[in-house]
Short mmCIF file of all heavy atoms in Angstrom, two decimals:
data_model
loop_
_atom_site.label_atom_id
_atom_site.label_comp_id
_atom_site.label_asym_id
_atom_site.label_seq_id
_atom_site.Cartn_x
_atom_site.Cartn_y
_atom_site.Cartn_z
N GLN A 287 0.76 -1.19 -0.02
CA GLN A 287 0.05 0.01 0.04
C GLN A 287 0.82 1.28 0.03
O GLN A 287 1.90 1.25 0.64
CB GLN A 287 -0.87 -0.13 1.24
CG GLN A 287 -1.66 1.13 1.53
CD GLN A 287 -2.47 0.93 2.81
OE1 GLN A 287 -3.19 -0.01 3.02
NE2 GLN A 287 -2.23 1.86 3.87
N GLU A 288 0.50 2.27 -0.78
CA GLU A 288 1.26 3.53 -0.64
C GLU A 288 0.26 4.62 -0.57
O GLU A 288 -0.94 4.56 -0.96
CB GLU A 288 2.09 3.62 -1.95
CG GLU A 288 1.42 4.26 -3.22
CD GLU A 288 2.34 4.64 -4.29
OE1 GLU A 288 2.66 3.70 -5.05
OE2 GLU A 288 2.68 5.80 -4.39
N SER A 289 0.83 5.73 -0.12
CA SER A 289 -0.01 6.99 0.00
C SER A 289 0.98 8.13 -0.25
O SER A 289 2.12 8.19 0.42
CB SER A 289 -0.61 7.12 1.38
OG SER A 289 -1.39 8.28 1.51
N GLY A 290 0.67 8.94 -1.13
CA GLY A 290 1.59 10.15 -1.27
C GLY A 290 2.95 9.82 -1.83
O GLY A 290 3.96 10.57 -1.52
N GLY A 291 3.08 8.72 -2.49
CA GLY A 291 4.45 8.34 -3.05
C GLY A 291 5.34 7.64 -2.09
O GLY A 291 6.52 7.44 -2.36
N GLU A 292 4.78 7.20 -0.96
CA GLU A 292 5.56 6.44 0.05
C GLU A 292 4.90 5.21 0.38
O GLU A 292 3.68 5.21 0.59
CB GLU A 292 5.85 7.29 1.23
CG GLU A 292 6.69 8.58 1.03
CD GLU A 292 6.93 9.37 2.31
OE1 GLU A 292 5.84 9.90 2.74
OE2 GLU A 292 8.10 9.55 2.61
N LEU A 293 5.59 4.14 0.64
CA LEU A 293 5.09 2.90 1.06
C LEU A 293 4.56 3.14 2.47
O LEU A 293 5.20 3.61 3.31
CB LEU A 293 6.17 1.77 0.95
CG LEU A 293 5.68 0.30 1.17
CD1 LEU A 293 4.84 -0.08 -0.06
CD2 LEU A 293 6.91 -0.57 1.21
N THR A 294 3.32 2.59 2.77
CA THR A 294 2.74 2.75 4.09
C THR A 294 2.46 1.36 4.71
O THR A 294 2.27 1.31 6.06
CB THR A 294 1.46 3.60 4.01
OG1 THR A 294 0.57 3.05 3.16
CG2 THR A 294 1.80 5.06 3.63
N ARG A 295 2.27 0.32 3.97
CA ARG A 295 1.86 -0.95 4.63
C ARG A 295 2.18 -2.14 3.67
O ARG A 295 2.05 -1.95 2.54
CB ARG A 295 0.39 -0.87 4.95
CG ARG A 295 -0.13 -2.12 5.74
CD ARG A 295 -1.42 -1.94 6.44
NE ARG A 295 -1.41 -0.94 7.49
CZ ARG A 295 -0.95 -1.06 8.70
NH1 ARG A 295 -0.40 -2.21 9.14
NH2 ARG A 295 -0.98 -0.06 9.55
N ILE A 296 2.50 -3.22 4.34
CA ILE A 296 2.59 -4.47 3.64
C ILE A 296 1.73 -5.44 4.47
O ILE A 296 1.84 -5.51 5.73
CB ILE A 296 4.04 -4.93 3.55
CG1 ILE A 296 4.90 -4.07 2.78
CG2 ILE A 296 4.05 -6.44 3.00
CD1 ILE A 296 6.40 -4.48 2.74
N TRP A 297 0.94 -6.20 3.74
CA TRP A 297 0.23 -7.33 4.44
C TRP A 297 0.68 -8.63 4.02
O TRP A 297 0.94 -8.83 2.81
CB TRP A 297 -1.30 -7.29 4.04
CG TRP A 297 -2.03 -6.02 4.33
CD1 TRP A 297 -2.45 -5.46 5.49
CD2 TRP A 297 -2.42 -5.08 3.34
NE1 TRP A 297 -3.04 -4.36 5.38
CE2 TRP A 297 -3.05 -3.99 4.02
CE3 TRP A 297 -2.28 -4.95 1.98
CZ2 TRP A 297 -3.60 -2.89 3.43
CZ3 TRP A 297 -2.76 -3.84 1.33
CH2 TRP A 297 -3.41 -2.78 2.01
N VAL A 298 0.81 -9.56 4.93
CA VAL A 298 1.36 -10.87 4.63
C VAL A 298 0.50 -11.97 5.27
O VAL A 298 -0.20 -11.66 6.27
CB VAL A 298 2.89 -11.05 5.02
CG1 VAL A 298 3.76 -10.11 4.29
CG2 VAL A 298 2.99 -10.99 6.46
N GLY A 299 0.64 -13.15 4.71
CA GLY A 299 -0.08 -14.22 5.38
C GLY A 299 -1.64 -14.04 5.62
O GLY A 299 -2.34 -13.60 4.83
N ASN A 300 -2.00 -14.40 6.83
CA ASN A 300 -3.36 -14.35 7.27
C ASN A 300 -3.86 -12.82 7.40
O ASN A 300 -5.03 -12.57 7.67
CB ASN A 300 -3.60 -15.10 8.53
CG ASN A 300 -2.75 -14.59 9.74
OD1 ASN A 300 -2.20 -13.44 9.70
ND2 ASN A 300 -2.56 -15.49 10.67
N ARG A 301 -2.99 -11.88 7.15
CA ARG A 301 -3.45 -10.40 7.25
C ARG A 301 -3.89 -9.84 5.86
O ARG A 301 -4.35 -8.82 5.80
CB ARG A 301 -2.33 -9.59 7.84
CG ARG A 301 -1.89 -9.95 9.16
CD ARG A 301 -2.87 -9.34 10.20
NE ARG A 301 -2.57 -9.77 11.50
CZ ARG A 301 -1.97 -9.06 12.41
NH1 ARG A 301 -1.58 -7.81 12.18
NH2 ARG A 301 -1.79 -9.49 13.63
N VAL A 302 -3.62 -10.71 4.71
CA VAL A 302 -3.99 -10.17 3.39
C VAL A 302 -5.45 -10.20 3.27
O VAL A 302 -6.17 -11.28 3.51
CB VAL A 302 -3.29 -11.08 2.37
CG1 VAL A 302 -3.72 -10.59 0.95
CG2 VAL A 302 -1.82 -11.03 2.49
N GLY A 303 -6.08 -9.17 2.87
CA GLY A 303 -7.50 -9.01 2.69
C GLY A 303 -7.87 -8.37 1.49
O GLY A 303 -7.17 -8.39 0.44
N ALA A 304 -8.97 -7.57 1.48
CA ALA A 304 -9.47 -6.83 0.35
C ALA A 304 -8.87 -5.49 0.36
O ALA A 304 -8.15 -4.99 1.30
CB ALA A 304 -11.00 -6.74 0.37
N VAL A 305 -9.11 -4.69 -0.69
CA VAL A 305 -8.70 -3.34 -0.85
C VAL A 305 -9.28 -2.58 0.31
O VAL A 305 -10.51 -2.59 0.58
CB VAL A 305 -9.14 -2.78 -2.23
CG1 VAL A 305 -8.79 -1.26 -2.32
CG2 VAL A 305 -8.50 -3.56 -3.38
N PRO A 306 -8.41 -1.79 1.07
CA PRO A 306 -8.89 -1.03 2.19
C PRO A 306 -9.86 0.07 1.75
O PRO A 306 -9.59 0.62 0.61
CB PRO A 306 -7.68 -0.50 2.94
CG PRO A 306 -6.51 -1.18 2.31
CD PRO A 306 -6.99 -1.76 0.97
N GLU A 307 -10.76 0.42 2.57
CA GLU A 307 -11.64 1.56 2.24
C GLU A 307 -10.80 2.85 1.93
O GLU A 307 -9.91 3.12 2.81
CB GLU A 307 -12.60 1.74 3.49
CG GLU A 307 -13.67 2.75 3.04
CD GLU A 307 -14.76 2.95 4.18
OE1 GLU A 307 -14.99 1.92 4.83
OE2 GLU A 307 -15.23 4.05 4.36
N GLY A 308 -11.15 3.51 1.02
CA GLY A 308 -10.49 4.76 0.64
C GLY A 308 -9.26 4.56 -0.16
O GLY A 308 -8.60 5.55 -0.54
N TYR A 309 -8.92 3.27 -0.58
CA TYR A 309 -7.83 3.01 -1.48
C TYR A 309 -8.29 2.43 -2.75
O TYR A 309 -9.23 1.81 -2.82
CB TYR A 309 -6.86 1.87 -0.73
CG TYR A 309 -6.04 2.61 0.32
CD1 TYR A 309 -6.54 2.89 1.54
CD2 TYR A 309 -4.69 2.92 -0.01
CE1 TYR A 309 -5.68 3.49 2.45
CE2 TYR A 309 -3.85 3.45 0.98
CZ TYR A 309 -4.43 3.75 2.22
OH TYR A 309 -3.65 4.36 3.16
N GLU A 310 -7.47 2.74 -3.77
CA GLU A 310 -7.78 2.28 -5.11
C GLU A 310 -6.82 1.05 -5.46
O GLU A 310 -5.64 1.08 -5.05
CB GLU A 310 -7.49 3.42 -6.17
CG GLU A 310 -7.62 3.05 -7.57
CD GLU A 310 -7.36 4.21 -8.50
OE1 GLU A 310 -7.14 5.36 -8.05
OE2 GLU A 310 -7.40 4.03 -9.73
N LEU A 311 -7.35 0.08 -6.03
CA LEU A 311 -6.46 -1.10 -6.57
C LEU A 311 -5.75 -0.61 -7.81
O LEU A 311 -6.43 -0.50 -8.92
CB LEU A 311 -7.40 -2.30 -6.85
CG LEU A 311 -6.65 -3.54 -7.32
CD1 LEU A 311 -5.66 -3.97 -6.16
CD2 LEU A 311 -7.59 -4.61 -7.61
N LYS A 312 -4.51 -0.44 -7.68
CA LYS A 312 -3.80 0.14 -8.83
C LYS A 312 -2.33 -0.25 -8.64
O LYS A 312 -1.75 -0.02 -7.48
CB LYS A 312 -3.98 1.65 -8.99
CG LYS A 312 -3.25 2.31 -10.10
CD LYS A 312 -3.59 3.72 -10.04
CE LYS A 312 -2.69 4.45 -11.25
NZ LYS A 312 -3.01 5.88 -11.19
N GLU A 313 -1.59 -0.56 -9.65
CA GLU A 313 -0.16 -0.88 -9.56
C GLU A 313 0.59 0.40 -10.02
O GLU A 313 0.36 0.91 -11.09
CB GLU A 313 0.15 -2.02 -10.48
CG GLU A 313 1.64 -2.53 -10.35
CD GLU A 313 1.93 -3.74 -11.12
OE1 GLU A 313 1.43 -3.85 -12.26
OE2 GLU A 313 2.68 -4.56 -10.58
N THR A 314 1.36 0.93 -9.19
CA THR A 314 2.17 2.09 -9.45
C THR A 314 3.62 1.80 -9.58
O THR A 314 4.09 0.64 -9.22
CB THR A 314 2.00 3.12 -8.21
OG1 THR A 314 2.71 2.55 -7.12
CG2 THR A 314 0.54 3.50 -8.01
N PRO A 315 4.48 2.74 -10.05
CA PRO A 315 5.95 2.40 -10.13
C PRO A 315 6.54 2.08 -8.79
O PRO A 315 7.31 1.13 -8.69
CB PRO A 315 6.51 3.78 -10.72
CG PRO A 315 5.36 4.31 -11.53
CD PRO A 315 4.13 3.99 -10.80
N LEU A 316 6.05 2.73 -7.72
CA LEU A 316 6.60 2.45 -6.42
C LEU A 316 6.19 1.05 -5.97
O LEU A 316 7.03 0.27 -5.46
CB LEU A 316 6.14 3.44 -5.38
CG LEU A 316 6.51 3.12 -3.88
CD1 LEU A 316 8.05 3.13 -3.77
CD2 LEU A 316 5.85 4.16 -2.93
N LEU A 317 4.93 0.65 -6.18
CA LEU A 317 4.58 -0.68 -5.82
C LEU A 317 5.29 -1.79 -6.59
O LEU A 317 5.55 -2.90 -6.09
CB LEU A 317 3.03 -0.85 -5.82
CG LEU A 317 2.31 0.12 -4.89
CD1 LEU A 317 0.76 -0.15 -4.99
CD2 LEU A 317 2.76 0.03 -3.43
N LYS A 318 5.48 -1.49 -7.88
CA LYS A 318 6.22 -2.45 -8.74
C LYS A 318 7.66 -2.62 -8.17
O LYS A 318 8.23 -3.71 -8.13
CB LYS A 318 6.29 -1.94 -10.26
CG LYS A 318 4.99 -2.20 -10.99
CD LYS A 318 5.29 -1.73 -12.42
CE LYS A 318 3.94 -1.71 -13.24
NZ LYS A 318 4.15 -1.22 -14.52
N GLU A 319 8.26 -1.44 -7.86
CA GLU A 319 9.64 -1.53 -7.36
C GLU A 319 9.70 -2.24 -6.01
O GLU A 319 10.60 -3.02 -5.77
CB GLU A 319 10.20 -0.05 -7.20
CG GLU A 319 11.56 -0.01 -6.63
CD GLU A 319 12.61 -0.77 -7.43
OE1 GLU A 319 12.39 -1.01 -8.62
OE2 GLU A 319 13.72 -1.03 -6.82
N THR A 320 8.63 -2.08 -5.19
CA THR A 320 8.62 -2.74 -3.88
C THR A 320 8.58 -4.29 -4.24
O THR A 320 9.26 -5.06 -3.60
CB THR A 320 7.38 -2.38 -3.01
OG1 THR A 320 7.54 -0.96 -2.74
CG2 THR A 320 7.26 -3.11 -1.72
N HIS A 321 7.68 -4.65 -5.15
CA HIS A 321 7.56 -6.13 -5.57
C HIS A 321 8.92 -6.65 -6.02
O HIS A 321 9.30 -7.70 -5.68
CB HIS A 321 6.45 -6.17 -6.53
CG HIS A 321 6.37 -7.57 -7.17
ND1 HIS A 321 6.05 -8.65 -6.36
CD2 HIS A 321 6.37 -8.05 -8.49
CE1 HIS A 321 6.06 -9.83 -7.19
NE2 HIS A 321 6.14 -9.35 -8.44
N ARG A 322 9.57 -5.84 -6.89
CA ARG A 322 10.88 -6.23 -7.41
C ARG A 322 11.88 -6.48 -6.30
O ARG A 322 12.56 -7.45 -6.27
CB ARG A 322 11.36 -5.19 -8.44
CG ARG A 322 12.63 -5.58 -9.19
CD ARG A 322 13.34 -4.53 -9.92
NE ARG A 322 13.97 -3.59 -8.92
CZ ARG A 322 15.08 -3.78 -8.23
NH1 ARG A 322 15.61 -4.99 -8.33
NH2 ARG A 322 15.61 -2.96 -7.43
N GLN A 323 11.95 -5.49 -5.37
CA GLN A 323 12.92 -5.67 -4.34
C GLN A 323 12.59 -6.77 -3.37
O GLN A 323 13.42 -7.54 -2.89
CB GLN A 323 13.10 -4.30 -3.50
CG GLN A 323 13.76 -3.31 -4.24
CD GLN A 323 14.22 -2.09 -3.55
OE1 GLN A 323 14.36 -2.22 -2.36
NE2 GLN A 323 14.20 -0.92 -4.02
N LEU A 324 11.26 -7.09 -3.09
CA LEU A 324 10.91 -8.14 -2.34
C LEU A 324 11.19 -9.52 -2.96
O LEU A 324 11.76 -10.43 -2.34
CB LEU A 324 9.44 -8.10 -1.90
CG LEU A 324 9.00 -7.09 -0.92
CD1 LEU A 324 7.49 -6.89 -0.83
CD2 LEU A 324 9.56 -7.50 0.44
N ASP A 325 10.97 -9.64 -4.29
CA ASP A 325 11.36 -10.75 -5.02
C ASP A 325 12.85 -11.04 -4.93
O ASP A 325 13.37 -12.19 -4.80
CB ASP A 325 10.91 -10.71 -6.47
CG ASP A 325 9.54 -11.22 -6.68
OD1 ASP A 325 8.94 -11.68 -5.79
OD2 ASP A 325 9.04 -11.15 -7.85
N ALA A 326 13.66 -9.97 -5.11
CA ALA A 326 15.10 -10.07 -5.05
C ALA A 326 15.53 -10.62 -3.66
O ALA A 326 16.35 -11.40 -3.48
CB ALA A 326 15.77 -8.72 -5.32
N TYR A 327 14.82 -10.06 -2.50
CA TYR A 327 15.17 -10.51 -1.24
C TYR A 327 14.79 -11.97 -1.08
O TYR A 327 15.59 -12.78 -0.55
CB TYR A 327 14.26 -9.68 -0.27
CG TYR A 327 14.19 -10.30 1.25
CD1 TYR A 327 15.31 -10.11 2.06
CD2 TYR A 327 13.13 -11.07 1.56
CE1 TYR A 327 15.27 -10.58 3.32
CE2 TYR A 327 13.10 -11.60 2.83
CZ TYR A 327 14.14 -11.42 3.71
OH TYR A 327 14.15 -12.01 4.90
N PHE A 328 13.55 -12.42 -1.57
CA PHE A 328 13.19 -13.72 -1.43
C PHE A 328 14.14 -14.73 -2.12
O PHE A 328 14.39 -15.84 -1.79
CB PHE A 328 11.74 -14.01 -2.03
CG PHE A 328 10.67 -13.28 -1.26
CD1 PHE A 328 9.60 -12.70 -1.96
CD2 PHE A 328 10.62 -13.15 0.15
CE1 PHE A 328 8.64 -12.06 -1.28
CE2 PHE A 328 9.65 -12.46 0.79
CZ PHE A 328 8.70 -11.86 0.06
N ASN A 329 14.76 -14.25 -3.24
CA ASN A 329 15.77 -14.99 -3.97
C ASN A 329 17.30 -14.76 -3.52
O ASN A 329 18.14 -15.12 -4.20
CB ASN A 329 15.61 -14.63 -5.50
CG ASN A 329 14.39 -15.26 -6.07
OD1 ASN A 329 14.06 -16.47 -5.92
ND2 ASN A 329 13.46 -14.37 -6.62
N ARG A 330 17.39 -14.19 -2.33
CA ARG A 330 18.63 -13.94 -1.67
C ARG A 330 19.60 -13.12 -2.56
O ARG A 330 20.83 -13.27 -2.42
CB ARG A 330 19.35 -15.40 -1.33
CG ARG A 330 18.53 -16.20 -0.44
CD ARG A 330 19.09 -17.48 -0.09
NE ARG A 330 18.38 -18.17 0.93
CZ ARG A 330 18.57 -19.34 1.34
NH1 ARG A 330 19.49 -20.06 0.88
NH2 ARG A 330 17.78 -19.90 2.26
#
């Protein structure tokens, strides 16, 4: 999740749910980069 160009939250495991109220489901450059870095971390 991001707000104002900054990452604000990550949900994992049993905490993953639906889109929070007031948020739009949208992939942004920051969220793509977060995903890229998390994948790199998972792959050591």
Side-chain angles (χ1 to χ4, degrees):
Q287 171 182 304
E288 85 169 82
S289 181
E292 295 178 302
L293 193 65
T294 56
R295 185 161 299 278
I296 296 176
W297 302 285
V298 298
N300 57 21
R301 299 281 174 102
V302 178
V305 176
E307 187 175 325
Y309 281 78
E310 178 183 354
L311 181 63
K312 180 179 179 182
E313 189 176 39
T314 66
L316 175 62
L317 298 183
K318 282 182 187 179
E319 177 60 16
T320 301
H321 174 58
R322 187 195 69 74
Q323 287 190 32
L324 285 167
D325 272 355
Y327 166 83
F328 297 142
N329 289 304
R330 299 181 176 173

